[in-house]
Amino acid sequence: MTGEFNLINKYFVDRQSQRKDVLLAAGDDCALVEMPENVSIAISTDTLVAGTHFLADAPAAWVAHKALASNLSDLAAMGATPAWVSLALTMPEPDESWLKPFCDAFFELADYFGVQLIGGDTTKGPLSITLTVQGFVPKERALRRNGAKIGDWVYVTGELGDSKAGLDVVLDSQCQSKPYADELLHRHFHATPRVLVGQAMLPYASSAIDISDGLISDVQHILKASQVGVSLDVDALPLSKELIQFVDDKRMAQQYALTSGEEYELCFTVPEEHKGVVDTATAHCGVQVTCIGQIRPQEQFELHASGELLDWPISGYDHFKET
Amino acid sequence: MTGEFNLINKYFVDRQSQRKDVLLAAGDDCALVEMPENVSIAISTDTLVAGTHFLADAPAAWVAHKALASNLSDLAAMGATPAWVSLALTMPEPDESWLKPFCDAFFELADYFGVQLIGGDTTKGPLSITLTVQGFVPKERALRRNGAKIGDWVYVTGELGDSKAGLDVVLDSQCQSKPYADELLHRHFHATPRVLVGQAMLPYASSAIDISDGLISDVQHILKASQVGVSLDVDALPLSKELIQFVDDKRMAQQYALTSGEEYELCFTVPEEHKGVVDTATAHCGVQVTCIGQIRPQEQFELHASGELLDWPISGYDHFKET
């Protein structure tokens, strides 16, 4: 066992990369940072709790990746460039066999996106992780949820539904023998925040959100904020071959794609006049983008497949559900 | 029971005061804020966990005050002006009878210091609160821990030791019948962050820290960062009459003052040439400041009382103690 301060130094302070805008990252009462001119700061906070967001025996590296990726995904959804992160880590004991892989994975992802850990807190208690990430976005240019207009096209990044299938594998041991169980489990914990897509779409998208609660639920946040409706083509939903084989039914895979939370893909809307540039603008981002529908007048919320209107009872994920 | 989003709206979003530099506080993937020119941002994160930092049945209003006050105290210790706060609240159930007093107390203190809640997360799990506060400090002027010089005078704000006595009352029911038990209990949960003192001392102090782990422990952070030592006059420690009567022994009260954590008073050092202005500079702050010692050469750490050197075995508080 080591003291709190030694623990912080060993795993967090000593291995910091240094951004030039970070004047002070640890070792004082606060971190001190400086800002470029003509930007706003985008700030997001997310908590992962053992037993709620991951099983207590989940590999520490997976938990670290998921915690940071989900936060970076919020920055991506605003089109922001990640800069700094604060980490509040609560754990029952200072378990170094857990901390080392946690930190290795955390810093691997942070370094990839040029994000510096600027401080936080280490406390004793039930395992949980709260991150506050901050990034820059050009003034008055952030991708908001409230800019979608009737006629805009609806896009998503990547493939949807895999995270829910991975969660099946976590929660139901019988699913471990299904096809691609390992790959989907990995996908559940190893989402890639779509930071590049968010930045690339800054000049073109009219609204954006990241898919954390499930496509259906998150799209509704855009609809509500923009006071519009939507028509989605279920047959257009991007599905992985792994998911289709795992659930062994294309319609079921589509339902997974519509409701799967913690995907950390982006959903964004693009006006007709920019539809032609989407593929080119995102070509360098290493992920496909797919048009899945169109914005409609308010109160209209339609799912289509094979030209027919679907009537699927679906809702998003909510920690404290209506009862 | 209400859904997560309703809960957030009811208790947090709808009662927000609006700072002009907050472009977007809730309802999107990130908060968006803007900065004044020529300032740095000071950022601090603290977590309070039920069972570690407070008993699970502690009044919610006390917990809220303590959580925010301890964070604002970190800003105060840098001389920063508080601006924004993010709140990550984890609770077993969305208990409105707990949330209402929590929010009332949280916003009372936030409003007093002009701090706006700009976002956060509400999750299900064991009760804990993580706050990230941010504030401004003029560029290159923040009060650091590393500026103390030999000969500088050591000051503290307020009276020390009361918080530890209040903790006695929390942890030992027999202490409830001691003199001033209620007052000291209140003091433990209702520290006043010394934001005004931090700002007032910006031009004059050579270093500063807030007393969260205990004076002895926190002074040592200044000594280590500044590579100096200290001589403290134990008889000069500011003690409340409540504490002296509670512990019924002046020497014991002094030991409380030296080791009491979670005081959220400031300890700062002032060069000889500014000693004359301390009282005037802090006159409007509503709290006494007391000179308790002087900075000495490195490796020198002395406690004096009545002209004699003391040999008290004392150390600070640490969540994961050396074993």
Side-chain angles (χ1 to χ4, degrees), chain A residues 112-113 157 192-201 278-289:
Chain A
Y112 182 83
F113 284 107
T157 58
T192 302
R194 302 305 183 187
V195 170
L196 294 179
V197 175
Q199 293 169 334
M201 291 310 299
V278 173
D279 286 343
T280 312
T282 59
H284 68 293
C285 300
V287 62
Q288 65 175 324
V289 298

PDB file of all heavy atoms in Angstrom, chain A residues 112-113 157 192-201 278-289:
ATOM      1  N   TYR A 112      -3.407   9.772 -27.704  1.00  0.00           N
ATOM      2  CA  TYR A 112      -3.810   9.695 -29.109  1.00  0.00           C
ATOM      3  C   TYR A 112      -4.523  10.974 -29.547  1.00  0.00           C
ATOM      4  O   TYR A 112      -4.329  11.457 -30.660  1.00  0.00           O
ATOM      5  CB  TYR A 112      -4.723   8.476 -29.321  1.00  0.00           C
ATOM      6  CG  TYR A 112      -5.156   8.299 -30.755  1.00  0.00           C
ATOM      7  CD1 TYR A 112      -4.325   7.654 -31.672  1.00  0.00           C
ATOM      8  CD2 TYR A 112      -6.380   8.779 -31.203  1.00  0.00           C
ATOM      9  CE1 TYR A 112      -4.706   7.502 -32.995  1.00  0.00           C
ATOM     10  CE2 TYR A 112      -6.774   8.634 -32.527  1.00  0.00           C
ATOM     11  CZ  TYR A 112      -5.930   7.994 -33.414  1.00  0.00           C
ATOM     12  OH  TYR A 112      -6.308   7.852 -34.722  1.00  0.00           O
ATOM     13  N   PHE A 113      -5.333  11.509 -28.631  1.00  0.00           N
ATOM     14  CA  PHE A 113      -6.089  12.713 -28.988  1.00  0.00           C
ATOM     15  C   PHE A 113      -5.441  13.993 -28.449  1.00  0.00           C
ATOM     16  O   PHE A 113      -6.044  15.070 -28.511  1.00  0.00           O
ATOM     17  CB  PHE A 113      -7.531  12.602 -28.494  1.00  0.00           C
ATOM     18  CG  PHE A 113      -8.375  11.687 -29.347  1.00  0.00           C
ATOM     19  CD1 PHE A 113      -8.747  10.435 -28.901  1.00  0.00           C
ATOM     20  CD2 PHE A 113      -8.762  12.078 -30.620  1.00  0.00           C
ATOM     21  CE1 PHE A 113      -9.503   9.589 -29.703  1.00  0.00           C
ATOM     22  CE2 PHE A 113      -9.514  11.241 -31.432  1.00  0.00           C
ATOM     23  CZ  PHE A 113      -9.883   9.992 -30.970  1.00  0.00           C
ATOM     24  N   THR A 157     -22.312   7.836 -37.974  1.00  0.00           N
ATOM     25  CA  THR A 157     -20.976   7.285 -38.238  1.00  0.00           C
ATOM     26  C   THR A 157     -20.964   5.798 -37.870  1.00  0.00           C
ATOM     27  O   THR A 157     -21.774   5.334 -37.065  1.00  0.00           O
ATOM     28  CB  THR A 157     -19.901   7.999 -37.394  1.00  0.00           C
ATOM     29  OG1 THR A 157     -20.234   7.853 -36.008  1.00  0.00           O
ATOM     30  CG2 THR A 157     -19.823   9.474 -37.734  1.00  0.00           C
ATOM     31  N   THR A 192     -14.572   4.140 -30.518  1.00  0.00           N
ATOM     32  CA  THR A 192     -13.644   5.193 -30.933  1.00  0.00           C
ATOM     33  C   THR A 192     -14.404   6.506 -31.007  1.00  0.00           C
ATOM     34  O   THR A 192     -15.319   6.635 -31.816  1.00  0.00           O
ATOM     35  CB  THR A 192     -13.062   4.880 -32.327  1.00  0.00           C
ATOM     36  OG1 THR A 192     -12.410   3.617 -32.277  1.00  0.00           O
ATOM     37  CG2 THR A 192     -12.067   5.967 -32.749  1.00  0.00           C
ATOM     38  N   PRO A 193     -14.066   7.454 -30.147  1.00  0.00           N
ATOM     39  CA  PRO A 193     -14.780   8.739 -30.219  1.00  0.00           C
ATOM     40  C   PRO A 193     -14.548   9.395 -31.574  1.00  0.00           C
ATOM     41  O   PRO A 193     -13.423   9.428 -32.068  1.00  0.00           O
ATOM     42  CB  PRO A 193     -14.172   9.560 -29.073  1.00  0.00           C
ATOM     43  CG  PRO A 193     -12.937   8.851 -28.661  1.00  0.00           C
ATOM     44  CD  PRO A 193     -13.045   7.429 -29.097  1.00  0.00           C
ATOM     45  N   ARG A 194     -15.602   9.899 -32.194  1.00  0.00           N
ATOM     46  CA  ARG A 194     -15.525  10.385 -33.572  1.00  0.00           C
ATOM     47  C   ARG A 194     -15.128  11.857 -33.621  1.00  0.00           C
ATOM     48  O   ARG A 194     -15.810  12.700 -34.232  1.00  0.00           O
ATOM     49  CB  ARG A 194     -16.852  10.133 -34.276  1.00  0.00           C
ATOM     50  CG  ARG A 194     -17.260   8.664 -34.291  1.00  0.00           C
ATOM     51  CD  ARG A 194     -16.189   7.754 -34.893  1.00  0.00           C
ATOM     52  NE  ARG A 194     -16.637   6.354 -34.953  1.00  0.00           N
ATOM     53  CZ  ARG A 194     -15.857   5.355 -35.302  1.00  0.00           C
ATOM     54  NH1 ARG A 194     -14.578   5.566 -35.610  1.00  0.00           N
ATOM     55  NH2 ARG A 194     -16.322   4.126 -35.324  1.00  0.00           N
ATOM     56  N   VAL A 195     -14.014  12.137 -32.977  1.00  0.00           N
ATOM     57  CA  VAL A 195     -13.508  13.509 -32.873  1.00  0.00           C
ATOM     58  C   VAL A 195     -13.237  14.105 -34.251  1.00  0.00           C
ATOM     59  O   VAL A 195     -13.609  15.254 -34.538  1.00  0.00           O
ATOM     60  CB  VAL A 195     -12.230  13.527 -32.004  1.00  0.00           C
ATOM     61  CG1 VAL A 195     -11.544  14.879 -32.067  1.00  0.00           C
ATOM     62  CG2 VAL A 195     -12.575  13.162 -30.559  1.00  0.00           C
ATOM     63  N   LEU A 196     -12.632  13.317 -35.135  1.00  0.00           N
ATOM     64  CA  LEU A 196     -12.290  13.832 -36.463  1.00  0.00           C
ATOM     65  C   LEU A 196     -13.541  14.152 -37.278  1.00  0.00           C
ATOM     66  O   LEU A 196     -13.580  15.155 -37.992  1.00  0.00           O
ATOM     67  CB  LEU A 196     -11.409  12.822 -37.221  1.00  0.00           C
ATOM     68  CG  LEU A 196     -10.016  12.586 -36.635  1.00  0.00           C
ATOM     69  CD1 LEU A 196      -9.265  11.558 -37.472  1.00  0.00           C
ATOM     70  CD2 LEU A 196      -9.234  13.887 -36.551  1.00  0.00           C
ATOM     71  N   VAL A 197     -14.546  13.298 -37.163  1.00  0.00           N
ATOM     72  CA  VAL A 197     -15.783  13.548 -37.913  1.00  0.00           C
ATOM     73  C   VAL A 197     -16.451  14.823 -37.417  1.00  0.00           C
ATOM     74  O   VAL A 197     -16.931  15.650 -38.211  1.00  0.00           O
ATOM     75  CB  VAL A 197     -16.748  12.345 -37.812  1.00  0.00           C
ATOM     76  CG1 VAL A 197     -18.069  12.663 -38.501  1.00  0.00           C
ATOM     77  CG2 VAL A 197     -16.115  11.097 -38.422  1.00  0.00           C
ATOM     78  N   GLY A 198     -16.495  14.997 -36.097  1.00  0.00           N
ATOM     79  CA  GLY A 198     -17.101  16.204 -35.538  1.00  0.00           C
ATOM     80  C   GLY A 198     -16.417  17.462 -36.054  1.00  0.00           C
ATOM     81  O   GLY A 198     -17.066  18.429 -36.478  1.00  0.00           O
ATOM     82  N   GLN A 199     -15.093  17.437 -36.050  1.00  0.00           N
ATOM     83  CA  GLN A 199     -14.340  18.592 -36.551  1.00  0.00           C
ATOM     84  C   GLN A 199     -14.571  18.793 -38.050  1.00  0.00           C
ATOM     85  O   GLN A 199     -14.758  19.917 -38.521  1.00  0.00           O
ATOM     86  CB  GLN A 199     -12.844  18.394 -36.267  1.00  0.00           C
ATOM     87  CG  GLN A 199     -12.506  18.424 -34.786  1.00  0.00           C
ATOM     88  CD  GLN A 199     -11.086  17.979 -34.496  1.00  0.00           C
ATOM     89  OE1 GLN A 199     -10.501  17.222 -35.276  1.00  0.00           O
ATOM     90  NE2 GLN A 199     -10.531  18.423 -33.385  1.00  0.00           N
ATOM     91  N   ALA A 200     -14.566  17.683 -38.799  1.00  0.00           N
ATOM     92  CA  ALA A 200     -14.720  17.773 -40.253  1.00  0.00           C
ATOM     93  C   ALA A 200     -16.085  18.324 -40.642  1.00  0.00           C
ATOM     94  O   ALA A 200     -16.224  19.013 -41.654  1.00  0.00           O
ATOM     95  CB  ALA A 200     -14.518  16.386 -40.878  1.00  0.00           C
ATOM     96  N   MET A 201     -17.113  18.019 -39.818  1.00  0.00           N
ATOM     97  CA  MET A 201     -18.470  18.435 -40.172  1.00  0.00           C
ATOM     98  C   MET A 201     -18.838  19.813 -39.622  1.00  0.00           C
ATOM     99  O   MET A 201     -19.940  20.309 -39.893  1.00  0.00           O
ATOM    100  CB  MET A 201     -19.480  17.384 -39.692  1.00  0.00           C
ATOM    101  CG  MET A 201     -19.416  16.056 -40.448  1.00  0.00           C
ATOM    102  SD  MET A 201     -19.442  16.255 -42.265  1.00  0.00           S
ATOM    103  CE  MET A 201     -21.043  17.055 -42.480  1.00  0.00           C
ATOM    104  N   VAL A 278     -20.309  15.610 -47.874  1.00  0.00           N
ATOM    105  CA  VAL A 278     -20.133  14.836 -46.638  1.00  0.00           C
ATOM    106  C   VAL A 278     -19.062  13.763 -46.796  1.00  0.00           C
ATOM    107  O   VAL A 278     -18.154  13.634 -45.955  1.00  0.00           O
ATOM    108  CB  VAL A 278     -21.468  14.211 -46.188  1.00  0.00           C
ATOM    109  CG1 VAL A 278     -21.251  13.279 -45.005  1.00  0.00           C
ATOM    110  CG2 VAL A 278     -22.477  15.299 -45.834  1.00  0.00           C
ATOM    111  N   ASP A 279     -19.152  12.990 -47.887  1.00  0.00           N
ATOM    112  CA  ASP A 279     -18.192  11.897 -48.057  1.00  0.00           C
ATOM    113  C   ASP A 279     -16.771  12.423 -48.187  1.00  0.00           C
ATOM    114  O   ASP A 279     -15.828  11.868 -47.601  1.00  0.00           O
ATOM    115  CB  ASP A 279     -18.561  11.062 -49.293  1.00  0.00           C
ATOM    116  CG  ASP A 279     -19.784  10.180 -49.022  1.00  0.00           C
ATOM    117  OD1 ASP A 279     -20.120   9.984 -47.838  1.00  0.00           O
ATOM    118  OD2 ASP A 279     -20.398   9.720 -50.003  1.00  0.00           O
ATOM    119  N   THR A 280     -16.613  13.506 -48.949  1.00  0.00           N
ATOM    120  CA  THR A 280     -15.268  14.067 -49.123  1.00  0.00           C
ATOM    121  C   THR A 280     -14.738  14.647 -47.818  1.00  0.00           C
ATOM    122  O   THR A 280     -13.591  14.433 -47.441  1.00  0.00           O
ATOM    123  CB  THR A 280     -15.320  15.195 -50.177  1.00  0.00           C
ATOM    124  OG1 THR A 280     -16.038  14.710 -51.314  1.00  0.00           O
ATOM    125  CG2 THR A 280     -13.916  15.613 -50.586  1.00  0.00           C
ATOM    126  N   ALA A 281     -15.608  15.372 -47.112  1.00  0.00           N
ATOM    127  CA  ALA A 281     -15.169  16.030 -45.880  1.00  0.00           C
ATOM    128  C   ALA A 281     -14.738  15.031 -44.818  1.00  0.00           C
ATOM    129  O   ALA A 281     -13.872  15.313 -43.987  1.00  0.00           O
ATOM    130  CB  ALA A 281     -16.292  16.919 -45.328  1.00  0.00           C
ATOM    131  N   THR A 282     -15.351  13.839 -44.832  1.00  0.00           N
ATOM    132  CA  THR A 282     -15.063  12.858 -43.781  1.00  0.00           C
ATOM    133  C   THR A 282     -14.154  11.727 -44.271  1.00  0.00           C
ATOM    134  O   THR A 282     -13.929  10.754 -43.548  1.00  0.00           O
ATOM    135  CB  THR A 282     -16.375  12.244 -43.233  1.00  0.00           C
ATOM    136  OG1 THR A 282     -17.073  11.617 -44.316  1.00  0.00           O
ATOM    137  CG2 THR A 282     -17.261  13.309 -42.607  1.00  0.00           C
ATOM    138  N   ALA A 283     -13.639  11.884 -45.495  1.00  0.00           N
ATOM    139  CA  ALA A 283     -12.869  10.780 -46.100  1.00  0.00           C
ATOM    140  C   ALA A 283     -11.622  10.413 -45.296  1.00  0.00           C
ATOM    141  O   ALA A 283     -11.192   9.269 -45.285  1.00  0.00           O
ATOM    142  CB  ALA A 283     -12.480  11.142 -47.538  1.00  0.00           C
ATOM    143  N   HIS A 284     -11.047  11.419 -44.603  1.00  0.00           N
ATOM    144  CA  HIS A 284      -9.801  11.178 -43.861  1.00  0.00           C
ATOM    145  C   HIS A 284     -10.049  10.660 -42.445  1.00  0.00           C
ATOM    146  O   HIS A 284      -9.104  10.453 -41.678  1.00  0.00           O
ATOM    147  CB  HIS A 284      -9.009  12.486 -43.753  1.00  0.00           C
ATOM    148  CG  HIS A 284      -9.686  13.486 -42.876  1.00  0.00           C
ATOM    149  ND1 HIS A 284     -10.884  14.082 -43.216  1.00  0.00           N
ATOM    150  CD2 HIS A 284      -9.351  13.988 -41.654  1.00  0.00           C
ATOM    151  CE1 HIS A 284     -11.252  14.926 -42.257  1.00  0.00           C
ATOM    152  NE2 HIS A 284     -10.341  14.883 -41.302  1.00  0.00           N
ATOM    153  N   CYS A 285     -11.320  10.467 -42.079  1.00  0.00           N
ATOM    154  CA  CYS A 285     -11.640  10.193 -40.675  1.00  0.00           C
ATOM    155  C   CYS A 285     -11.596   8.712 -40.303  1.00  0.00           C
ATOM    156  O   CYS A 285     -11.717   8.349 -39.133  1.00  0.00           O
ATOM    157  CB  CYS A 285     -13.020  10.757 -40.314  1.00  0.00           C
ATOM    158  SG  CYS A 285     -13.137  12.553 -40.537  1.00  0.00           S
ATOM    159  N   GLY A 286     -11.437   7.863 -41.290  1.00  0.00           N
ATOM    160  CA  GLY A 286     -11.278   6.443 -40.984  1.00  0.00           C
ATOM    161  C   GLY A 286     -12.549   5.760 -40.541  1.00  0.00           C
ATOM    162  O   GLY A 286     -12.501   4.720 -39.887  1.00  0.00           O
ATOM    163  N   VAL A 287     -13.689   6.335 -40.859  1.00  0.00           N
ATOM    164  CA  VAL A 287     -14.947   5.688 -40.497  1.00  0.00           C
ATOM    165  C   VAL A 287     -15.991   6.044 -41.555  1.00  0.00           C
ATOM    166  O   VAL A 287     -15.991   7.155 -42.093  1.00  0.00           O
ATOM    167  CB  VAL A 287     -15.410   6.131 -39.097  1.00  0.00           C
ATOM    168  CG1 VAL A 287     -15.684   7.632 -39.041  1.00  0.00           C
ATOM    169  CG2 VAL A 287     -16.645   5.357 -38.648  1.00  0.00           C
ATOM    170  N   GLN A 288     -16.871   5.093 -41.866  1.00  0.00           N
ATOM    171  CA  GLN A 288     -17.918   5.387 -42.835  1.00  0.00           C
ATOM    172  C   GLN A 288     -18.973   6.294 -42.211  1.00  0.00           C
ATOM    173  O   GLN A 288     -19.187   6.282 -41.001  1.00  0.00           O
ATOM    174  CB  GLN A 288     -18.581   4.091 -43.314  1.00  0.00           C
ATOM    175  CG  GLN A 288     -19.327   3.351 -42.216  1.00  0.00           C
ATOM    176  CD  GLN A 288     -20.067   2.137 -42.744  1.00  0.00           C
ATOM    177  OE1 GLN A 288     -20.595   2.133 -43.846  1.00  0.00           O
ATOM    178  NE2 GLN A 288     -20.098   1.076 -41.950  1.00  0.00           N
ATOM    179  N   VAL A 289     -19.612   7.112 -43.047  1.00  0.00           N
ATOM    180  CA  VAL A 289     -20.796   7.845 -42.607  1.00  0.00           C
ATOM    181  C   VAL A 289     -21.941   7.440 -43.527  1.00  0.00           C
ATOM    182  O   VAL A 289     -21.740   7.252 -44.732  1.00  0.00           O
ATOM    183  CB  VAL A 289     -20.599   9.380 -42.630  1.00  0.00           C
ATOM    184  CG1 VAL A 289     -19.491   9.794 -41.664  1.00  0.00           C
ATOM    185  CG2 VAL A 289     -20.292   9.870 -44.013  1.00  0.00           C
TER     186      VAL A 289
END
